[in-house]
Amino acid sequence: MTDDCDRDPPLTYYATTPPPRPVARTSSALGPPASATGDARPARPRRLRALLGPAAAATALILLYVLLPGPESGLPAEGRITLVVFAAAVAAWTCTRWDDAFVALTAALSLTLIGVLQSDDLFGALGGEVIWLLIAAFVLAAGLTQAGVPARIAVLLLARARTVRGLVHLLTLALVVSALLVPATSGRAALALPVFLALAKALPERERVIRALSLVIPTVILLSAVATLTGAGAHLITVEVLRAATGTGIGFGAWLLAGLPLAVVSSHLAAELVLLLMTRRADRRIRLDDIGAAELAASVPGQTAPGLDKRGKLSLAITAVVVLAWCTQDLHGVQPAVVALIGALAVAAPRIGMVSLGAALRTVPWSLLIFMSATAVLGAALLDSGAAGWLTAAALGGLATDGDSALVFLIVVVLISVAAHLVLQSRSARSSVLIPLLVPAAGVLGLNPAAIAFASTAAAGFCHTLPSSAKPVAMFADLGETPGFERRDLLRLSIFLAPLLAALVTAFAWFVWPYLGFPLR
């Protein structure tokens, strides 16, 4: 939304009173031209202010380079340069509105030109397995969307609701399931928006309930992304950094086994929290028997019936086979990216497919892929140059490696990851900054790098404080005539949800995940 001062003047102004034409003035007794007086003087301070920021940033980076120790203190020359470039990238992500992919690619290219990275490292990342996995996942999602599978599943679930509380938790279940079908939180939010509008239309004169639903949907979308490896680009960055540092990453099945329970528990607790904060007891007990599946299906664009047609069933079956193959990689040995490509080709096959390959590829967020590749290269540079190891040793070298220190370190990691969205709005950028530093830190303390990286990535899924903190939140923040949540609702939710999620992630990392393949030691 824009302020009144940013809007154009009303058209009637020009119809009744034409704007006065500027009067030409010359350098005479009347004084100098207007451009030489009041109009020209503010331009110079504005130019000075525009130059002051870059000059201060350059000075700070030069000072950082001078203050950093040399090889005699354990920091190689390449590590010193990498830290400076990395600090510049973090500052640009934090303090400017520059595109995240532009910043990451510029930083990676700078390290390549300086000689810290090889050109093969930069270009090889663009063709890596993770990139192809995500491309194929988006093609699969395009086929599912074209067949109307996500919306139809949501309609089928929501039609079974009998009370508002039941509606909210069925909607939560549908959104958790959508994390298994559609990669990227913004794509899931786009699919959920017409479902929400249909619900708002079916619930007239129940504004508190509608406002609660408008906050439940983006909240659950963000929290349930941890269920799968493809749920967010940050997950793939975490896996790539882990693979570069330790030689092994986290497979789709292992991520699903550990992430899905947290996604289910945190999503339903967050939905219940929204209900308690934004509705009254009478609202939560309202009967919804009059809402039918057919009416809801007709209200969602592209849906004509509550059930799945042949194309929807076929696309869902293909996706189920792909997910099953991902989870059983140890049995057949086929890489996840290859499995995903097979499924993508099946979805886009002529005559039997749901969508053409060209149309599906247009849904791929290429900027995100470039950003992921560049940040993965930056993370590898931090590790390979020795910068991350030196920084970790300097910060944690004096800590003991007993159980108390491990728990304290875990809590600190979770709290920093939860609060990181206040500085870095991009979820992928948060993982790009945190994971390369946490992996060697875990090694210093004798902890499992995969467990610490997974806990940090799960906690970094919290980004609910401001509408600008995440795209799904921003999409539901301004809905025009449809009642939606307000900024104060979001702030009130974040006050309770942030400590709740931090406690959940800490509890899962300490008590649950060790039995699901992620021991802390």
Side-chain angles (χ1 to χ4, degrees):
M1 297 179 65
T2 57
D3 297 331
D4 291 339
C5 59
D6 295 329
R7 299 174 182 168
D8 294 330
L11 295 178
T12 54
Y13 173 83
Y14 299 105
T16 57
T17 309
R21 296 182 179 179
V23 179
R25 300 179 64 181
T26 59
S27 301
S28 61
L30 294 176
S35 60
T37 57
D39 293 342
R41 290 176 183 173
R44 186 173 299 173
R46 282 198 298 267
R47 286 195 295 267
L48 289 176
R49 287 194 297 268
L51 295 174
L52 185 60
T59 303
L61 292 175
I62 294 173
L63 185 62
L64 175 63
Y65 181 81
V66 172
L67 294 178
L68 284 173
E72 67 280 359
S73 299
L75 180 61
E78 291 185 347
R80 192 179 185 186
I81 296 173
T82 302
L83 280 178
V84 173
V85 173
F86 187 71
V90 173
W93 284 329
T94 305
C95 303
T96 71
R97 295 184 179 181
W98 296 349
D99 183 74
D100 292 337
F102 173 81
V103 173
L105 193 57
T106 301
L109 184 59
S110 300
L111 291 177
T112 303
L113 294 175
I114 294 171
V116 176
L117 293 172
Q118 300 296 321
S119 59
D120 292 342
D121 298 330
L122 177 61
F123 297 122
L126 291 171
E129 179 184 349
V130 170
I131 300 300
W132 282 102
L133 172 63
L134 201 56
I135 291 174
F138 272 99
V139 174
L140 280 168
L144 287 167
T145 304
Q146 186 67 25
V149 172
R152 288 174 186 264
I153 291 176
V155 166
L156 285 171
L157 288 173
L158 299 178
R160 299 177 180 272
R162 293 296 174 262
T163 63
V164 169
R165 175 174 270 119
L167 173 67
V168 167
H169 285 284
L170 283 173
L171 178 60
T172 299
L173 177 62
L175 292 173
V176 173
V177 171
S178 71
L180 307 176
L181 305 177
V182 181
T185 54
S186 56
R188 293 163 60 206
L191 288 174
L193 185 58
V195 177
F196 166 73
L197 295 176
L199 286 172
K201 183 179 179 181
L203 296 170
E205 300 180 359
R206 295 171 183 174
E207 183 175 340
R208 283 191 298 271
V209 175
I210 297 173
R211 288 175 56 238
L213 289 174
S214 71
L215 187 53
V216 165
I217 292 175
T219 298
V220 172
I221 285 174
L222 292 170
L223 294 180
S224 60
V226 74
T228 66
L229 179 60
T230 57
H235 305 170
L236 300 172
I237 291 174
T238 297
V239 171
E240 282 297 288
V241 174
L242 269 175
R243 186 178 287 117
T246 65
T248 57
I250 302 175
F252 185 91
W255 193 294
L256 182 68
L257 183 62
L260 184 57
L262 176 63
V264 172
V265 173
S266 62
S267 297
H268 283 281
L269 286 179
E272 188 66 25
L273 181 59
V274 173
L275 276 176
L276 294 176
L277 292 175
M278 298 187 64
T279 62
R280 299 173 182 173
R281 180 176 299 180
D283 297 325
R284 297 189 289 271
R285 293 181 176 178
I286 294 176
R287 302 292 299 178
L288 302 176
D289 298 327
D290 55 336
I291 299 180
E295 290 78 6
L296 275 177
S299 301
V300 179
Q303 309 304 306
T304 57
L308 291 172
D309 57 12
K310 292 182 179 180
R311 295 169 66 247
K313 293 178 181 178
L314 178 59
S315 61
L316 191 60
I318 293 173
T319 304
V321 171
V322 169
V323 172
L324 180 63
W326 280 341
C327 297
T328 57
Q329 180 188 352
D330 293 339
L331 298 179
H332 53 74
V334 182
Q335 295 297 319
V338 177
V339 172
L341 283 174
I342 295 173
L345 291 177
V347 165
R351 295 186 180 181
I352 64 172
M354 295 88 228
V355 64
S356 67
L357 186 59
L361 290 176
R362 283 193 290 271
T363 67
V364 176
W366 298 105
S367 178
L368 172 63
L369 300 185
I370 293 175
F371 174 75
M372 288 175 50
S373 302
T375 51
V377 169
L378 283 178
L382 280 172
L383 295 168
D384 296 340
S385 66
W390 172 85
L391 193 60
T392 300
L396 303 174
L399 290 181
T401 58
D402 55 13
D404 293 338
S405 295
L407 180 59
V408 170
F409 179 69
L410 174 63
I411 293 174
V412 170
V413 167
V414 170
L415 292 178
I416 291 176
S417 302
V418 167
H421 73 284
L422 298 174
V423 179
L424 294 169
Q425 293 184 348
S426 170
R427 192 173 189 164
S428 299
R430 294 197 290 275
S431 290
S432 303
V433 172
L434 294 174
I435 302 304
L437 301 178
L438 294 178
V439 168
V444 170
L445 295 175
L447 302 177
N448 180 10
I452 296 299
F454 190 85
S456 173
T457 305
F462 176 81
C463 36
H464 299 71
T465 305
L466 299 172
S468 60
S469 298
K471 290 181 181 177
V473 179
M475 290 175 64
F476 283 82
D478 186 7
L479 297 171
E481 297 180 356
T482 304
F485 67 87
E486 299 177 359
R487 179 168 296 190
R488 61 185 180 186
D489 300 322
L490 195 60
L491 289 174
R492 185 169 53 168
L493 172 65
S494 65
I495 291 173
F496 294 94
L497 185 58
L500 174 62
L501 182 63
L504 274 177
V505 173
T506 303
F508 267 78
W510 194 258
F511 297 107
V512 180
W513 290 335
Y515 299 98
L516 299 178
F518 290 97
L520 277 175
R521 294 186 182 277

